Amino acid sequence: GAVGINGRVKYLPLAWAWTPKTSFRKNSDSPILARIVAIADTWDAMTGDRVYRKGMTPEKALSIIESEFDSGQWDPELVRVFVAMMRGDLEARHEVEEDMFGESPA
């Protein structure tokens, strides 16, 4: 049967970085949802405000993630798709801001 996100959370520590290439990475044993949530969790940690600090801008977070594409922290294919989607979203937002306000605050 279908397993919700709660059933996948147990895989997050293994999502990509801490599993040997010969087992997890080669066979993609970790569910795709766990690999996606690992990327989303990183994004939230970087861009979300915390009691002790303000979240970074989306542009800065994407720049950091891009610089670490091959660090082994995330599924390399999924993280590249995530960044491409987010970059497209940021471009669309800037276009709307330019249309509405005459300039983009970025």
Side-chain angles (χ1 to χ4, degrees):
V3 177
I5 195 161
N6 290 336
R8 309 283 188 199
V9 171
K10 67 182 176 182
Y11 290 99
L12 283 178
L14 304 175
W16 194 258
W18 300 285
T19 310
K21 289 181 182 179
T22 55
S23 61
F24 166 79
R25 292 183 186 183
K26 184 175 179 183
N27 299 322
S28 296
D29 291 337
S30 181
I32 192 165
L33 182 59
R35 291 181 271 154
I36 291 169
V37 170
I39 297 166
D41 184 55
T42 299
W43 178 259
D44 181 63
M46 295 172 83
T47 60
D49 290 341
R50 301 292 190 253
V51 175
Y52 52 88
R53 65 142 175 88
K54 179 133 177 75
M56 63 182 70
T57 66
E59 291 85 356
K60 183 173 181 177
L62 287 172
S63 177
I64 291 169
I65 291 170
E66 285 175 318
S67 73
E68 297 180 12
F69 269 162
D70 298 317
S71 69
Q73 185 170 349
W74 311 284
D75 179 311
E77 292 177 35
L78 290 177
V79 75
R80 282 178 168 77
V81 169
F82 175 81
V83 168
M85 289 172 43
M86 295 304 293
R87 287 258 178 241
D89 185 52
L90 291 175
E91 290 172 16
R93 186 188 80 203
H94 292 312
E95 288 175 12
V96 169
E97 289 170 348
E98 287 174 8
D99 288 345
M100 292 176 67
F101 305 110
E103 62 182 57
S104 177

